[in-house]
Structure formats: C-alpha cells, structure tokens
C-alpha cells in the first residue's frame, strides 16, 4: 500500500517559505504524510496553529490544576481534542488523496469522513462529562485560588484561539473550524467567569462557565456528526434523488426494457457529485441483451452516473435480487 502513495521527490524553492518551513520540508522530505501537510499553505497554517494550541494547552492544564478552575481544565481538555481533531483531519485529508489500490479499490475518500464522525462523537461524550463535573462542583462548592494568574492564562487562551480562527483558511476543514470557534467562545467564557469571581467572590461562576463551554462543544459537534453520518450511510441528497428518479424513468423508457430492480446509488467522494451505483435491468424476450446493456450504460453516463448494469432476460429467475425477494 505504501508504494501507491504519491512520492515527494521534488524540492521547494526556499523563497516560497520561511526558514522554519524550509527546514521542516527538508527534514521531512522522506516522510510523505508530513511533507504533504507542510507543502500546502492551508494545511501548513493549520499545522502551525496545532503546535501553538498544543503548547498552550499544557499551560492551561497546569494552571487549571494549580487554581482549581474547572472552566480552565475543561477548556484545556477541549483544546487537546482540537489538537487531536487537527492531527486526524490533516492526516485524513492527505490519505483521502491516495490513489486506489487492489485492496482498497474505491480509494481512501471515506477516511476524512470517518475521522470527522469519530471526532464529533468523542467531543459530544466529553461535553457530557464536563457538564457532570460542573454540576458536581456546584453542589459541593469549591474555592478558587490565584485569581490573577487564572485571569492571565485564560486571556492568553482566548488570544491563542482567536489566532486559530483568523488563521484557518481550509474550506475542507470546516468541521474543525467549528471546534476552534467553540473553543474561542469557551475561552471567552472562562475570562468572564474569572472577572465575575474576582468582583463578586462566588466561585459558582466557574462551573457555570464550564457548562457553557460543554454546550458549545456539543452544539459544534452535532452538524459534523450529522453530515459525516449521512456520508458514511451513503445518503443521497434530495436534489440528487429527484435527478435519480428522472434517470430511472429514462431507463424504463429504453427500447427492450421490461423493468428494473435493486437500484442502489451513492455519491462519489469529492466535489463533482458524481453518482455511482448498480442496477438490474430486465430485458424483453426478443431484445439483444448486450445492445441493451450498452445503451443503458451510455444513457446513465449522459446523466453523469457511473453505474454497474446487470441485464437478464425476462422470465429467468436466476438473479440474486429476485431470489432474495422470493
């Protein structure tokens, strides 16, 4: 499988990149995955933000324990999963461009969708855990410590996330963008709760802020899970379904066609919205089956559909779909 991946044998002129980028490109020239991420402008910017996000996540995690701030801890956990989402998203984006192999004849196009679905489910579970911890903290009560340092760290976290929002430019990583945006709003909630604790002295603002963060995490994960689940389940959009009905009506109108059975269609990976599928056509007794198959395939291709067509004579019940139906 490794031999089918694109080779990164070319060198990039140094004037196209900064010194750090050029050094990394030369260092990872023999590592196709990392090189593919660094060579593209959008993925490179996301990679750099991921490194910045991970570094500050460690700072937030340390001060979250030091100041007993559940809001800061939950924000750092979300930053960690943002980093994980960035890693998985970048790797999946590169893998999805690998060519098909004998073992994976349909290619790796579903890898990025599968990664997005798993990441969305994970974030939803984490948000539920954060709400549980926040309720527990509200019931038991807790004292906040080192408020000044907490405010400084939470403000810096907000700035880091703002950098991520403004630096994000890859339209294919829209789900990850939503996560970073939710994390930015969560960092803002930590800053506000810290200020409120400083002026009013009630530590309950911190778990309330963590609840808000959890709600934002959950809300940002819902559209990602829904869209990726529809893709994994090979759901056909409504507008495409209307076109399919017209195409099937056209197949029925072809000369020599008695009917069809077991039509199954799905969209190919990518933005061209090409329809793939399989269909069983029943031919009239006197029809030329090979000619009918060629005409059916040609008609479906004219509708931008790449469909495997099976043709069988009317009255013969050897087809698997008829056997199953019977």
């Amino acid at each position: 499988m490794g031999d089918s991946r694109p080779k990164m044998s070319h060198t990039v002129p140094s004037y196209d990149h900064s010194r750090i980028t050029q050094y990394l490109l030369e260092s990872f020239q023999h590592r196709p995955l990392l090189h593919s991420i660094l060579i593209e402008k959008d993925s490179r910017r996301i990679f750099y933000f991921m490194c910045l996000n991970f570094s500050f996540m460690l700072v937030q995690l340390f001060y979250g324990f030091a100041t007993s701030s559940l809001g800061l801890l939950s924000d750092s956990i979300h930053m960690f999963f943002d980093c994980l989402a960035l890693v998985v998203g970048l790797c999946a984006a590169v893998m999805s461009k690998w060519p098909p192999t004998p073992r994976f004849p349909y290619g790796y196009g579903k890898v990025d969708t599968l990664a997005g679905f798993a990441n969305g489910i994970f974030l939803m579970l984490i948000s539920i855990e954060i709400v549980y911890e926040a309720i527990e903290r509200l019931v038991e009560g807790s004292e906040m410590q080192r408020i000044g340092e907490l405010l400084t760290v939470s403000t810096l976290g907000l700035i880091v996330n703002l950098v991520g929002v403004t630096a994000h430019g890859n339209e294919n990583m829209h789900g990850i963008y939503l996560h970073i945006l939710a994390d930015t709003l969560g960092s803002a909630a930590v800053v506000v709760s810290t200020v409120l604790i400083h002026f009013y002295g009630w530590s309950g603002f911190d778990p309330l802020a963590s609840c808000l963060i959890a709600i934002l995490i959950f809300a940002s994960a819902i559209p990602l899970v829904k869209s990726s689940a529809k893709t994994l389940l090979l759901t056909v959009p409504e507008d495409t379904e209307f076109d399919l009905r017209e195409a099937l009506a056209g197949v029925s109108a072809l000369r020599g066609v008695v009917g069809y059975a077991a039509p199954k269609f799905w969209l190919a990976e990518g933005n061209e919205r090409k329809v793939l599928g399989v269909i069983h056509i029943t031919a009239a007794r006197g029809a030329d089956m090979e000619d009918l198959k060629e005409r059916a395939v040609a008609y479906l291709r004219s509708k931008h559909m790449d469909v495997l067509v099976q043709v069988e004579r009317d009255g013969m019940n050897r087809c698997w779909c008829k056997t199953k139906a019977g």
Side-chain angles (χ1 to χ4, degrees), residues 61-133:
L61 188 64
F62 171 78
Y63 276 98
F65 281 111
T67 60
S68 300
S69 170
L70 181 60
L72 202 58
L73 286 173
S74 60
D75 197 33
S76 64
I77 292 173
H78 188 203
M79 289 183 75
F80 170 75
F81 285 107
D82 277 342
C83 293
L84 183 61
L86 288 166
V87 171
V88 173
L90 288 173
C91 293
V94 174
M95 292 177 63
S96 65
K97 295 180 176 62
W98 288 353
T101 65
R103 187 176 180 184
F104 298 94
Y106 286 95
Y108 300 82
K110 288 288 190 297
V111 172
D112 51 352
T113 305
L114 182 61
F117 179 79
N119 179 57
I121 293 294
F122 210 15
L123 285 175
M124 294 172 78
L125 294 176
I126 288 296
S127 65
I128 295 174
E129 175 64 19
I130 292 174
V131 171
Y132 175 79
E133 292 290 339

Side-chain angles (χ1 to χ4, degrees), residues 157-210:
L158 175 61
I159 295 173
V160 169
N161 284 297
L162 287 174
V163 171
V165 170
T166 57
H168 191 280
N170 193 333
E171 294 180 357
N172 296 327
M173 308 289 282
H174 181 67
I176 296 177
Y177 168 77
L178 292 177
H179 293 184
I180 298 175
L181 181 61
D183 203 20
T184 303
L185 298 176
S187 297
V190 174
V191 173
V192 173
S193 68
T194 304
V195 174
L196 291 175
I197 292 172
H198 176 72
F199 283 104
Y200 293 97
W202 183 54
S203 59
F205 288 118
D206 179 63
L208 287 177
S210 65

